[in-house]
Amino acid sequence: MFSRYFPSSKLSTFLPCFRTFERFSSRKPPKSPQLIYASNLRINTLARAGKIQSARKVFDEMSQRDVVSWNSMITAYWQNGYLNESKKFFVSMPERTIVSWNSMIAGCVENDCIDDAYMYFSTMPERNISSWNAMVSGYVKHGMVEEAARLFNEMPKKNVISYTAMIDGYMEKGEIDKARSLFDRMPQKNEVSWTVMISGYVENECFDEAKDLFQNMPAKNKNVVAMTAMVVGYCKEGRVEEGRILFDGILSKDSVAYNAMISGYAQNGRSEEALKLLVEMLRMSLRPDQTSCASILSACAALASPVAGRQTHAIVVKLGADSNVSACNALITMYSKCGSIFECELAFELITSPDLVSWNTIITAFAQHGLYEKAVAFLEQMVLRGCEPDGITFLSLLSACAHAGLVSQSVSWFDSMMKNYKITPRPEHYACLIDILGRAGQLDKAYNIIQELPFEADLAAWGAVLAGCRAHSNVELGKLVGEKVMELGGDSSGPYIMLSNIYAEAGMWGEVTRVRGLMKEHGIRKQPAYSWTEIENKVHYFLGGDISHPNIQEIRTALKQMNLQMKFHEKVLDFTEFYFQDELKYTCNLDAL
């Protein structure tokens, strides 16, 4: 085409110029750092939001990429659970940096492929301190502390992250002395190092050491995490007031601090304070976690407050935790304690994959309400769905038998537990079976079981026989068992009162005087019983013998009317028979499970 404009003699002169022009025009446009940076940033943002396909689309549409682009996609894939895609990208990378190798190590660790992580670590051409730290932390995360220590000792250079990771590993394994020795040898410490050490002490039940270390911690390092760890420690020790003082001293409280204090209140029976703190937390626009929700539900159960329980249930649903197994288990317990057995079953149905605790919780709920048939039905479902019952399951079934007075069935379940499921009965199983036999009047059989126990009978077992002796007026056995129960009973007034009542019913007033004298001699006084009920969000407490309630006259009138109606229907109960029953906790007490 050029021959039309240039003579052939001149063509050779211009041809090199045209070839140069052609060479430059065929080159790719130069990279735009701003465009690449913006695309890389977009990939990271989408990946953090879980939009991995959109991130990949941005990557594919990039006309030019740098190594950061590739590293971003590798990290994006493993952070969203697609480790194999990360591996494919890593293999196809045009060039790799230490960051690329370190990302693969971190991805394998996060996706529980610790052997693959070590493979990348051992084959990478060069390592930096981040490579070593990633591998040491990975071993610690997977409980492989010895392997972590071996790598730690081989490290050519260590920093505060290296030391802190190993301290955390030793604390997780319970090797407190090794952790402290390493902590003391650290060339420099930061707030994370101090916090890991304090938290480790708290988790390993070494609160005094945690407290001493916290007091020696530099003021600049006393952050919310360290202070929260100490709040947990105080609550574990039952020193809730001191924990609250420290909690109040946290200037910028986060949701973790609130959750720790709420759980501390609930675990120490301070249910009302736990509920109040939850309200304060919500007013601060902070979000309770699933553990905190479970603690609050436990607090509602302890108060037997269905109103507060339903309000907390609404919060759980709003937070999206209503499908969480722990929260649902707590819901079942709460509704059971509040007497709402129908809602227990509804809460159980929310769980897509019930675990052993879930099954035991619902079976226990039906057992506590005397619904033997329902308890057995759920046991059958449990076995059909491949969940093996444990000792708690059978304790619940025995309790259901106790409530329903089913003696033969209780013996059958006890035998099945040992023969079919190879579960060794614990003292509480024997105590429950003895209680059932005692209630049914089979006192000799109950006493013989105690004599044949493979271990020393505890207070619960002896107390169950004593309760049976009282119920069936067996003075002879009651005297024998009562002396044993008083010997084991310590400061409890229950055994003395029970034995005294047995003697009183038999007209043995001299023995009554002797037992009452023993109570006085040992300084034992009967603890007054109390009950409570909730009306219009207000809890009313009633102490035995107390007439100070402002509505006592109306209450007495209502009780008289109820008594008249019961007499009319010939269903009068002799309440004196049960007056002292609450004093002894010898029956199958599942509340502590």
Side-chain angles (χ1 to χ4, degrees):
M1 93 184 219
F2 293 113
S3 59
R4 295 176 58 187
Y5 301 99
F6 297 101
S8 59
S9 60
K10 301 291 184 179
L11 186 61
S12 59
T13 305
F14 290 98
L15 193 57
C17 297
F18 286 116
R19 285 175 177 166
T20 303
F21 172 77
E22 183 181 7
R23 186 169 64 251
F24 276 99
S25 65
S26 64
R27 286 183 179 177
K28 294 180 181 180
K31 293 183 179 180
S32 171
Q34 292 81 7
L35 289 175
I36 295 174
Y37 174 80
S39 296
N40 293 343
L41 189 64
R42 181 66 176 157
I43 289 170
N44 291 328
T45 302
L46 290 169
R48 282 194 296 269
K51 300 177 180 179
I52 191 68
Q53 292 181 343
S54 299
R56 176 61 188 267
K57 184 178 179 182
V58 172
F59 178 86
D60 290 339
E61 291 175 352
M62 292 175 69
S63 58
Q64 297 291 326
R65 309 180 186 96
D66 59 9
V67 69
V68 178
S69 311
W70 287 86
N71 288 341
S72 297
M73 275 308 304
I74 287 173
T75 304
Y77 271 123
W78 67 252
Q79 282 181 339
N80 286 275
Y82 300 101
L83 180 61
N84 287 333
E85 293 298 321
S86 294
K87 291 178 178 180
K88 292 176 184 177
F89 254 74
F90 182 79
V91 170
S92 61
M93 284 184 76
E95 60 176 321
R96 304 183 188 97
T97 62
I98 291 182
V99 175
S100 312
W101 289 90
N102 289 348
S103 178
M104 287 306 302
I105 294 171
C108 291
V109 168
E110 287 298 315
N111 287 273
D112 299 326
C113 298
I114 191 67
D115 293 335
D116 289 353
Y118 186 72
M119 183 270 292
Y120 285 107
F121 176 79
S122 59
T123 56
M124 63 191 301
E126 60 176 323
R127 305 174 186 129
N128 60 10
I129 196 166
S130 296
S131 314
W132 289 90
N133 286 341
M135 201 63 231
V136 170
S137 299
Y139 276 135
V140 167
K141 179 184 177 183
H142 288 81
M144 303 167 70
V145 179
E146 292 180 2
E147 289 82 351
R150 176 180 58 79
L151 275 186
F152 178 80
N153 293 329
E154 292 175 3
M155 289 182 72
K157 186 178 180 181
K158 306 176 181 73
N159 62 9
V160 66
I161 297 174
S162 319
Y163 280 94
T164 303
M166 272 314 305
I167 290 169
D168 187 36
Y170 283 134
M171 281 298 191
E172 286 287 335
K173 200 175 179 181
E175 297 181 351
I176 301 169
D177 293 337
K178 287 184 179 180
R180 184 56 190 261
S181 175
L182 197 59
F183 179 80
D184 292 337
R185 297 202 313 268
M186 287 183 73
Q188 61 182 30
K189 305 175 181 73
N190 62 12
E191 60 186 29
V192 179
S193 314
W194 286 92
T195 302
V196 166
M197 195 68 204
I198 291 169
S199 298
Y201 273 138
V202 170
E203 291 299 320
N204 284 280
E205 310 295 337
C206 299
F207 180 71
D208 291 337
E209 291 84 347
K211 185 179 178 183
D212 291 341
L213 192 63
F214 182 75
Q215 290 174 343
N216 293 323
M217 185 178 183
K220 65 177 182 179
N221 294 131
K222 288 185 177 179
N223 60 0
V224 62
V225 182
M227 295 178 78
T228 300
M230 285 302 298
V231 168
V232 172
Y234 276 118
C235 291
K236 277 189 171 184
E237 293 291 306
R239 298 158 65 175
V240 184
E241 295 299 335
E242 293 172 85
R244 181 58 192 257
I245 292 171
L246 187 60
F247 173 80
D248 289 338
I250 301 174
L251 297 179
S252 300
K253 301 180 184 69
D254 59 9
S255 58
V256 179
Y258 271 99
N259 290 329
M261 194 67 237
I262 288 170
S263 298
Y265 273 137
Q267 290 162 7
N268 285 275
R270 306 279 287 273
S271 303
E272 292 184 9
E273 289 93 332
L275 291 171
K276 289 177 182 177
L277 198 59
L278 174 67
V279 173
E280 179 183 319
M281 181 182 185
L282 294 172
R283 285 174 179 166
M284 297 288 291
S285 299
L286 294 173
R287 180 187 180 96
D289 63 7
Q290 293 172 351
T291 302
S292 186
C293 288
S295 297
I296 288 295
L297 289 167
S298 299
C300 296
L303 289 172
S305 173
V307 175
R310 289 189 180 94
Q311 290 173 346
T312 307
H313 188 178
I315 294 170
V316 170
V317 172
K318 187 176 180 180
L319 295 173
D322 53 325
S323 59
N324 175 263
V325 176
S326 298
C328 287
N329 293 343
L331 274 174
I332 296 167
T333 301
M334 184 272 295
Y335 280 125
S336 174
K337 295 285 183 69
C338 294
S340 304
I341 193 66
F342 175 72
E343 288 167 294
C344 288
E345 195 165 356
L346 292 178
F348 180 82
E349 290 173 357
L350 293 172
I351 308 173
T352 53
S353 299
D355 58 9
L356 177 61
V357 177
S358 308
W359 289 107
N360 283 342
T361 305
I362 189 66
I363 291 171
T364 299
F366 286 122
Q368 288 175 334
H369 287 77
L371 300 173
Y372 172 78
E373 302 287 345
K374 291 287 288 186
V376 172
F378 270 84
L379 172 70
E380 291 171 352
Q381 288 185 45
M382 175 184 183
V383 174
L384 283 174
R385 293 177 66 171
C387 188
E388 193 80 3
D390 65 354
I392 295 175
T393 316
F394 283 98
L395 186 59
S396 298
L397 288 171
L398 291 172
S399 174
C401 292
H403 283 288
L406 303 173
V407 180
S408 60
Q409 288 89 333
S410 66
V411 175
S412 176
W413 285 119
F414 192 88
D415 292 339
S416 176
M417 176 179 69
M418 293 188 293
K419 294 176 182 177
N420 299 334
Y421 294 95
K422 310 302 180 187
I423 298 173
T424 302
R426 294 176 56 84
E428 52 266 29
H429 295 103
Y430 282 104
C432 202
L433 181 62
I434 290 166
D435 176 65
I436 294 169
L437 294 171
R439 289 179 186 224
Q442 300 181 26
L443 296 171
D444 291 337
K445 190 173 183 179
Y447 183 73
N448 289 336
I449 290 176
I450 283 188
Q451 298 298 310
E452 296 170 2
L453 286 178
F455 44 79
E456 188 70 24
D458 60 7
L459 182 61
W462 285 110
V465 179
L466 182 61
C469 291
R470 165 122 194 268
H472 297 280
S473 303
N474 191 323
V475 180
E476 183 179 352
L477 185 59
K479 180 178 180 181
L480 176 64
V481 175
E483 297 296 332
K484 185 67 177 179
V485 172
M486 285 192 295
E487 180 185 327
L488 297 172
D491 296 332
S492 173
S493 62
Y496 295 89
I497 294 171
M498 187 76 72
L499 185 58
S500 174
N501 289 338
I502 291 174
Y503 287 141
E505 288 176 1
M508 302 169 65
W509 302 110
E511 290 297 315
V512 171
T513 303
R514 182 181 69 84
V515 172
R516 295 286 179 174
L518 286 173
M519 283 184 67
K520 188 175 182 180
E521 180 182 330
H522 295 134
I524 296 172
R525 299 180 61 185
K526 180 183 180 296
Q527 296 295 323
Y530 71 93
S531 60
W532 68 93
T533 186
E534 183 181 7
I535 302 173
E536 296 180 354
N537 293 331
K538 183 177 180 181
V539 179
H540 298 261
Y541 291 92
F542 300 94
L543 192 66
D546 183 17
I547 58 172
S548 61
H549 193 279
N551 303 108
I552 189 65
Q553 293 303 326
E554 293 91 330
I555 293 169
R556 282 180 169 176
T557 301
L559 286 173
K560 287 178 181 178
Q561 290 174 350
M562 290 170 61
N563 196 37
L564 286 171
Q565 290 178 18
M566 292 167 71
K567 284 183 178 180
F568 178 77
H569 290 289
E570 297 182 347
K571 293 182 180 178
V572 182
L573 294 176
D574 183 2
F575 290 104
T576 59
E577 284 291 318
F578 305 94
Y579 184 76
F580 296 113
Q581 291 294 322
D582 288 338
E583 190 66 25
L584 286 171
K585 303 297 182 183
Y586 298 134
T587 56
C588 303
N589 185 2
L590 299 178
D591 293 343
L593 296 180

